Amino acid sequence: MAKKVVATLKKGTGKNFTKVIKMVKSEKSGSYTFKSEIVPNDNIKDFFSSK
């Protein structure tokens, strides 16, 4: 299944998107969680600068 998704993203407009993963610290427990999204290449810096 994953191979089909990767192959689809490599064609055409799929190259304009990137999967990004950010580590976010929880205020209550102090533990870290991971936030992942697929964002356009133009918005990668905005994703990492936002909380």
Side-chain angles (χ1 to χ4, degrees), residues 7-9 13 18 22 24 31 34 36 39 49:
T8 304
L9 290 175
T13 60
T18 304
K22 178 169 57 169
V24 180
S31 64
F34 295 95
S36 65
V39 298
S49 65

Side-chain angles (χ1 to χ4, degrees), residues 29-41:
S29 64
S31 64
Y32 286 94
T33 59
F34 295 95
K35 180 179 176 186
S36 65
E37 288 184 26
I38 297 177
V39 298
N41 290 341

Side-chain angles (χ1 to χ4, degrees), residues 3 7 11-12 14 23 30 34 45:
K3 290 180 181 179
K11 294 180 183 175
M23 205 163 61
F34 295 95
K45 289 186 179 182

